[in-house]
Amino acid sequence: MTTRYKINELFETLQGEGSFTGQPSIFLRLQGCPVGCSWCDTKHTWEIHPELEVNSKQLLSKSEETEQWSNLTLDEMAAIFSQQGFQAKHIVITGGEPCMVDLTELCHYFEAQGYSCQVETSGTFEIRVSKQCWVTVSPKVNMRGGYKILASAMQRANEIKHPVATEQHIDDLKALLAEHKVEHKQIYLQPISQKQRATELAIASCIANNWRLSVQVHKYIGIE
């Protein structure tokens, strides 16, 4: 049986966050997420409504964020890359919560074609990817969905990118790192909603803890 993936968006842009900031990338945004982050900027990806399934042409013609999604095979995605003339060789698998799905086959498929893969996850689901896939865990602590951060996700992470707005978020991260004995990983703080107070807190905390700052460059320069 051919595997299909529920895709909300498929587009080429620059990665605006974390270690790959500035990297030309193809984004695969999967539909579905039960985590329930209050500040989420992709709430249109949370629910999977069967009646909102569209074909790939309709998916690509979307001019605004919607809950519409398309059920695509890997061959169909690759064909879209070619038809759209995408030049990027880095694929960012995001959502939604992409790790609700086993992504191993997807990673192997595109890596065999010369792409690198990166997955962005909340760390609340088992991460099933290739060994080469770069894993960005953005741990979502005490969210509405009630999901816990998995120890396996924290250990698999290549980078940890933590959204912050208050001192409590800093305390949550420190507790998480201590609980899971996380060492020698790249730690990024990402101010929520680009608010000045959150940004100032993130800068001070990065300096104090020798962490790094991720400022969602794409939002500052006005690209998708």
Side-chain angles (χ1 to χ4, degrees), residues 6 33 37 64 80 89 112 129 135 141 150 152 158 173 198 208 210:
K6 294 177 174 61
C33 182
C37 305
E64 60 183 6
I80 290 172
K89 301 300 287 184
V129 295
V135 175
V141 181
L150 301 182
S152 61
N158 295 100
L173 175 59
N210 199 28

Side-chain angles (χ1 to χ4, degrees), residues 42-186:
T42 56
K43 290 182 179 180
H44 59 287
T45 66
W46 285 9
E47 303 295 334
I48 300 174
H49 299 292
E51 69 275 13
L52 293 180
E53 181 180 353
V54 298
N55 60 40
S56 59
K57 184 176 181 180
Q58 291 170 305
L59 182 77
L60 294 171
S61 66
K62 289 203 296 185
S63 59
E64 60 183 6
E65 295 177 345
T66 75
E67 292 182 282
Q68 293 176 322
W69 55 275
S70 190
N71 216 17
L72 301 180
T73 66
L74 296 172
D75 287 343
E76 287 170 340
M77 291 184 217
I80 290 172
F81 294 1
S82 178
Q83 292 162 7
Q84 296 295 308
F86 292 163
Q87 297 298 307
K89 301 300 287 184
H90 183 69
I91 296 174
V92 180
I93 310 159
T94 185
E97 174 43 74
C99 288
M100 293 173 65
V101 176
D102 187 337
L103 300 169
T104 308
E105 182 184 1
L106 187 155
C107 291
H108 286 156
Y109 178 93
F110 285 112
E111 286 167 355
Q113 298 186 33
Y115 293 90
S116 58
C117 291
Q118 173 186 6
V119 64
E120 297 181 339
T121 175
S122 63
T124 58
F125 285 81
E126 181 185 354
I127 300 171
R128 295 167 289 176
V129 295
S130 66
K131 291 182 179 180
Q132 293 78 24
C133 181
W134 181 273
V135 175
T136 301
V137 171
S138 183
K140 303 303 192 297
V141 181
N142 297 326
M143 293 297 114
R144 188 179 69 187
Y147 289 83
K148 299 296 184 182
I149 309 300
L150 301 182
S152 61
M154 294 295 287
Q155 294 303 320
R156 176 61 180 84
N158 295 100
E159 64 178 0
I160 294 169
K161 179 165 58 68
H162 193 62
V164 296
T166 68
E167 290 282 358
Q168 183 61 53
H169 294 138
I170 304 298
D171 293 341
D172 288 343
L173 175 59
K174 289 181 177 179
L176 202 60
L177 296 177
E179 176 186 355
H180 297 293
K181 298 179 174 59
V182 173
E183 298 178 355
H184 311 302
K185 293 186 186 291
Q186 296 180 24

Side-chain angles (χ1 to χ4, degrees), residues 5-10 29-30 59 69-70 72 77:
Y5 301 83
K6 294 177 174 61
I7 304 295
N8 178 278
E9 291 183 282
L10 192 166
R29 188 178 302 285
L30 275 64
L59 182 77
W69 55 275
S70 190
L72 301 180
M77 291 184 217

Side-chain angles (χ1 to χ4, degrees), residues 198-209:
T199 302
E200 291 173 351
L201 172 63
I203 291 171
S205 299
C206 284
I207 293 172
N209 296 280

